[in-house]
């Protein structure tokens, strides 16, 4: 009886010991893999996910690393990450500089994805958000240097929407125009054609995962003119019109000072602020040295704050 | 009795080379054939199968998906699209019938590696090494699911040699060969049948699927056993053989019911007395009389 009890106790002890050993060993393994997995969540800037991929966190849970998207991409731009790469092993990516997404109209990569890691709700490739192009080096970009390279702008599948040329005065020469390529995040798909096409040794415009490239306003920020447009009118009481309180029959003109006589027509004088914003009708056209047929929508649409972006 | 004989030599003498290697050859043909079908696309532009063992599309119509990886994905909170779900249903259905670990013996490319390690280990006479319970794989299986839940990513895929090797062969290996080599060396020097027999959670998952599969190896002619022990030596999961082969007196039936058995059929090959054969899980009467009664039906 006694010995039987003892052996039961010994067996129980052994069982508990084995279980503890197993839990310990497997726990260590789990810790190792878990920490590694945490590291592997950081996507390097040069690796862009195929169209339709959600946030990196979601993608790493949804993508089963099957490579169907890789197979069905007609341009063979997609690759599955190898273990030595700093991208989660087996997940698809492309590198814009060597092979950008050609923005297929039928999006075969998304259709091929069996899990929906590439979201099947994406039907219009122009709505995809693979990344965001950033003109990151203004010191080497030829357009910033005052030349008319424009290559990134011209290759963009969403020319004049995702990327525009914004004009400003060339301070260096004093008499030319700088055609600054400007990317608009609400339109840019991150296809990377601009980065691929950039003529420099190292591209001055690069595509990054949106999370890296995009800033974010504080939640409480409101942009005045947008609110104004939404509301269909000014949200604050309009400023009282500026008025000089001068003796009757007198008026004031800058440079000339006080004088008597009738007031000048409104808008021509300095006491109206309208003329301060350069206005194509007054500044560009009579000067005659500004190109009239500017790709990118032309000057007039860009010179006011109301220009569509 | 055959201390100086190599495993299976007696069988070769008794049945001839082919019958002593039939299932092994068929199994290798299956493993290599499946691999070749996957490789024909990238190597020769013959797209019979696209994808890899995690998910594949055969002839652009038949989807097949790995239940283990999709389960992990589900645990992260992602519900897959239709194609993956159909693929999983087909795969689970198939292995429910033929035995879950048929995947291990007939499909998985790592089996080629670990079998090679096991063969070399036997050849070199390497004995001993680390001991871990064969239940460890189920713990690791639970761990992979836990990790998926906690990290929200398919964490195990970062280290899984099965998908690394298969994907690597098809899409570019990179340094994945190091992991495969590690498995080989581990099996060779550290633990006999270490990876597939003790640790691999993929095999564990398929084993669970095969818990009720009708197709089983059975020791129908167990009374002919001459205790040469070749089957124990050759079996990657020798624990599954003991009771069905030896415990007739205790009323245990001859069918190898343990789901760890991979239906590899090596025991069938290697037995000079033809004790084993493939059979049905339901022909499992403990006494030969019972089998005799059931057989005429
Ligand atoms: S949209 Fe076309 S080019 Fe771009 S990744 Fe998909 S399949 Fe490839
Ligand atoms: S097809 Fe979908 S699940 Fe497969 S690798 Fe591509 S993104 Fe991942
Ligand atoms: S990545 Fe470049 S080319 Fe592509 S949409 Fe954006 S701006 Fe245009
Ligand atoms: S146990 Fe794992 S590695 Fe071994 S054959 Fe099965 S699935 Fe492959």
């Amino acid at each position: 009886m006694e010995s039987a009890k003892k052996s039961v106790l010994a067996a129980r002890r052994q069982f508990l010991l084995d279980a503890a050993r197993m839990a310990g060993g497997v726990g260590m393994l789990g810790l190792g893999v878990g920490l590694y997995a945490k590291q592997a969540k950081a996507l390097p800037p040069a690796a862009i996910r195929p169209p339709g991929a959600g946030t990196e966190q979601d993608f790493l849970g949804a993508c089963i690393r099957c490579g169907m998207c890789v197979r069905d991409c007609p341009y063979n731009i997609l690759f599955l990450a190898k273990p030595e790469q700093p991208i989660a092993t087996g997940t698809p990516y492309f590198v814009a500089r060597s092979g950008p997404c050609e923005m297929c109209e039928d999006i075969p990569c998304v259709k091929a994805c069996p899990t929906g890691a590439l979201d099947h709700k994406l039907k219009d490739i122009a709505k995809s958000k693979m990344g965001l192009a950033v003109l990151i080096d203004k010191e080497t970009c030829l357009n910033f240097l005052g030349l008319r390279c424009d290559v990134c702008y011209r290759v963009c599948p969403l020319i004049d929407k995702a990327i525009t040329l914004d004009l400003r005065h060339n301070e260096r020469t004093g008499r030319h125009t700088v055609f600054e390529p400007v990317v608009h995040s609400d339109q840019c798909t991150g296809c990377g054609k601009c980065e691929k096409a950039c003529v420099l040794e190292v591209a001055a415009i690069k595509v990054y995962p949106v999370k890296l490239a995009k800033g974010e306003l504080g939640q409480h920020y409101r942009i005045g003119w947008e609110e104004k447009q939404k509301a269909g009118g000014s949200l604050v009481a309009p400023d009282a019109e500026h008025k000089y309180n001068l003796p009757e029959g007198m008026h004031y003109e800058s440079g000339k000072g006080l004088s008597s006589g009738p007031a000048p027509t409104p808008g021509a004088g300095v006491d109206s602020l309208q003329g301060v914003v350069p206005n194509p009708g007054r500044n560009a056209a009579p000067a005659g040295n500004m190109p009239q047929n500017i790709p990118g929508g032309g000057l007039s649409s860009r010179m006011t704050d109301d220009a569509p972006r | 009795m055959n201390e100086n004989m190599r495993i299976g030599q007696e069988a070769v003498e008794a049945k001839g080379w082919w019958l002593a290697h039939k299932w092994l050859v068929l199994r290798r043909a299956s493993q290599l054939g499946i691999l070749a079908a996957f490789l024909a696309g990238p190597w020769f532009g013959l797209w019979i199968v696209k994808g890899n063992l995690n998910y594949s599309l055969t002839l652009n119509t038949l989807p097949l998906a790995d239940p283990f990886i999709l389960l992990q994905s589900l645990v992260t909170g992602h519900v897959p699209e239709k194609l993956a779900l159909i693929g999983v249903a087909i795969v689970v259905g198939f292995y429910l019938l033929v035995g879950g670990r048929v995947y291990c013996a007939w499909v998985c490319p790592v089996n080629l590696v670990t079998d090679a390690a096991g063969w070399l280990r036997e050849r070199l006479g390497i004995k001993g090494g680390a001991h871990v319970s064969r239940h460890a794989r189920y713990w690791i299986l639970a761990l992979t699911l836990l990790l998926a839940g906690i990290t929200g990513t398919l964490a195990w895929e970062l280290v899984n040699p099965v998908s690394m090797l298969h994907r690597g062969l098809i899409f570019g290996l990179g340094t994945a060969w190091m992991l495969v080599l590690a498995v080989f060396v581990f099996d060779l020097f550290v633990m006999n049948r270490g990876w597939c027999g003790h640790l691999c959670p993929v095999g564990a998952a398929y084993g669970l699927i095969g818990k009720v599969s009708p197709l089983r190896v059975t020791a129908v002619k167990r009374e002919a056993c001459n205790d040469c022990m070749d089957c124990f030596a050759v079996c990657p999961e020798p624990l599954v053989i003991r009771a069905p082969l030896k415990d007739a007196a205790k009323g245990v039936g001859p069918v190898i019911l343990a789901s760890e058995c991979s239906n590899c059929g090596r025991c069938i090959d290697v037995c000079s007395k033809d004790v084993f054969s493939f059979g049905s899980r339901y022909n499992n009467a403990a006494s030969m009389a019972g089998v005799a009664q059931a057989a005429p039906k």
Side-chain angles (χ1 to χ4, degrees):
Chain A
M1 241 0 229
E2 266 300 289
S3 71
K5 210 173 185 180
K6 243 185 204 158
S7 75
V8 165
L9 274 180
R12 188 173 297 162
R13 199 184 130 86
Q14 187 59 40
F15 173 79
L16 286 176
L17 208 66
D18 284 349
R21 195 175 288 152
M22 185 74 73
V26 173
M28 290 301 286
L29 178 71
L31 199 65
V33 177
L35 289 177
Y36 179 34
K38 195 147 188 266
Q39 265 191 5
K41 273 187 201 173
L43 188 67
I48 307 294
R49 295 295 185 195
T55 65
E56 189 63 6
Q57 171 75 38
D58 290 347
F59 188 69
L60 290 182
C63 167
I64 57 169
R65 288 82 158 141
C66 68
M68 292 303 291
C69 51
V70 174
R71 289 298 179 232
D72 280 11
C73 172
Y75 299 96
N76 291 324
I77 61 148
L78 297 177
F79 299 94
L80 294 187
K82 293 177 182 156
E84 67 270 29
Q85 288 173 312
I87 309 166
T89 305
T91 55
Y93 69 97
F94 69 90
V95 175
R97 187 65 165 167
S98 44
C101 171
E102 299 288 337
M103 289 179 58
C104 313
E105 238 168 79
D106 52 342
I107 334 183
C109 49
V110 170
K111 279 195 190 144
C113 179
T115 60
L118 307 181
D119 193 348
H120 287 208
K121 287 200 280 297
L122 179 71
K123 300 283 183 220
D124 177 5
I125 188 70
K127 296 247 155 62
S128 64
K129 287 271 170 281
M130 296 171 261
L132 176 58
V134 183
L135 203 151
I136 197 157
D137 191 4
K138 304 185 172 178
E139 292 175 341
T140 51
C141 169
L142 298 182
N143 272 30
F144 270 81
L145 294 178
L147 282 78
R148 289 298 306 271
C149 164
D150 295 3
V151 166
C152 57
Y153 163 76
R154 288 188 181 282
V155 298
C156 178
L158 298 172
I159 184 168
D160 284 332
K161 290 191 211 132
I163 188 166
T164 53
L165 293 176
D166 286 14
L167 312 193
R168 53 180 176 72
H169 182 58
N170 186 336
E171 300 288 352
R172 184 178 59 80
T173 65
R175 44 196 192 104
H176 298 96
T177 306
V178 167
F179 291 73
E180 180 184 341
V182 176
V183 177
H184 305 286
S185 63
D186 55 340
Q187 296 280 339
C188 171
T189 64
C191 70
K193 296 203 80 149
C194 50
E195 180 179 342
K196 164 77 179 171
C198 177
V199 301
L200 302 185
E201 280 295 306
V202 176
I205 190 167
K206 292 193 175 104
V207 170
Y208 291 118
V210 179
K211 200 172 154 231
L212 290 182
K214 187 78 185 126
E216 194 183 330
L217 287 171
Q219 289 297 317
H220 58 291
Y221 277 56
R222 296 288 177 273
I223 296 175
W225 53 92
E226 283 180 1
E227 297 299 317
K228 187 171 164 184
Q229 202 166 30
K230 266 191 249 162
S234 181
L235 294 173
V236 289
D239 288 338
E241 212 181 306
H242 182 75
K243 252 168 106 180
Y244 291 108
N245 291 314
L246 300 172
E248 220 172 302
M250 305 288 278
H251 83 267
Y252 177 83
E253 211 177 326
S254 104
K256 290 185 184 160
L258 272 177
S259 58
S260 55
T265 46
V270 187
D271 47 350
S272 154
L273 286 172
Q274 271 169 10
V276 173
V277 178
N279 173 319
R282 190 178 312 169
N283 289 345
N289 56 358
M290 282 290 215
Q292 288 304 290
N293 192 13
I294 297 159
L299 195 57
S300 49
S301 70
R302 199 83 39 59
M303 284 304 230
T304 64
D305 271 347
D306 306 332
R309 285 280 145 96
Chain B
M1 80 171 60
N2 55 353
E3 224 119 90
N4 306 319
M5 278 210 203
R6 300 221 335 102
I7 301 169
Q9 198 173 327
E10 213 178 312
V12 175
E13 278 159 19
K15 313 192 282 190
W17 190 92
W18 168 245
L19 285 181
H21 292 88
K22 184 171 98 183
W23 292 108
L24 179 66
V25 171
L26 290 177
R27 209 155 61 77
R28 293 285 178 254
S30 159
Q31 289 167 328
L32 294 173
I34 289 169
L35 205 54
F38 274 102
L39 287 173
W43 285 8
F44 309 113
L46 269 171
W47 293 104
I48 307 165
V49 193
K50 276 187 206 164
N52 58 42
L53 284 179
N54 281 358
Y55 173 88
S56 65
L57 193 61
T58 304
L59 298 172
N60 274 324
T61 42
L62 174 70
L64 297 172
D66 181 82
F68 175 53
I69 184 114
L70 270 145
L71 184 61
Q72 290 175 69
S73 185
L74 266 182
V75 172
T76 71
H78 178 82
V79 180
E81 290 282 333
K82 206 171 63 213
L83 266 182
L85 293 175
I86 298 173
V88 164
I90 296 174
V91 167
V92 170
F94 176 75
Y95 288 110
L96 270 177
L97 289 178
V98 300
R101 293 202 71 203
V102 159
Y103 176 86
C104 296
W106 296 78
V107 178
C108 180
V110 174
N111 176 271
L112 290 162
V113 176
T114 56
D115 268 3
W119 177 84
L120 196 62
R121 190 181 166 96
E122 196 254 324
R123 261 290 155 103
L124 300 178
I126 300 171
K127 292 258 145 52
H131 282 283
V132 163
S133 158
R134 283 184 182 259
H135 289 306
R137 52 190 142 191
Y138 300 108
W139 287 73
I140 296 178
L141 173 60
L143 171 80
T144 59
L145 297 177
L146 195 70
L147 278 176
I150 292 173
T151 65
T153 72
L154 304 182
W156 188 253
E157 280 304 285
L158 296 171
V159 292
N160 183 358
V162 181
S163 52
M164 281 242 216
L165 175 60
H166 193 257
R167 191 193 310 113
L169 289 172
I170 298 164
F171 289 90
L173 203 52
T175 49
W177 65 267
M178 287 199 213
L179 193 69
V180 177
L181 182 69
V183 167
F184 180 82
V185 170
F186 179 75
D187 266 29
L188 182 58
F189 296 115
V190 183
M191 197 188 292
N192 186 26
R193 296 287 174 183
W195 179 256
C196 296
H198 295 77
L199 305 178
C200 176
V202 182
Y206 277 100
L208 292 179
I209 294 173
K211 275 251 181 248
V212 293
S213 72
L215 180 69
R216 301 274 73 192
V217 173
T218 162
V220 257
K221 296 206 281 175
R222 56 185 168 178
E223 75 284 3
C225 172
N226 63 1
D227 286 321
C228 75
M229 303 305 270
D230 274 3
C231 55
F232 284 98
V234 87
C235 179
E237 303 280 347
L239 298 185
V240 305
I241 299 182
R242 167 153 293 116
L245 183 63
K246 293 286 158 207
D247 289 351
K250 291 188 198 160
V252 179
V255 174
I256 298 178
L257 291 174
S259 63
E260 284 83 14
C261 169
S262 64
N263 280 359
C264 72
R266 272 306 271 154
C267 51
I268 306 177
D269 282 346
V270 100
C271 179
S272 59
K273 303 290 177 205
D274 272 336
V275 165
F276 299 94
S277 63
F278 278 113
S280 152
R281 132 181 259 109
Y282 307 110
N283 267 341
N284 198 21
S287 68
M288 282 298 98
V291 174
Q293 274 166 16
K297 274 203 237 171

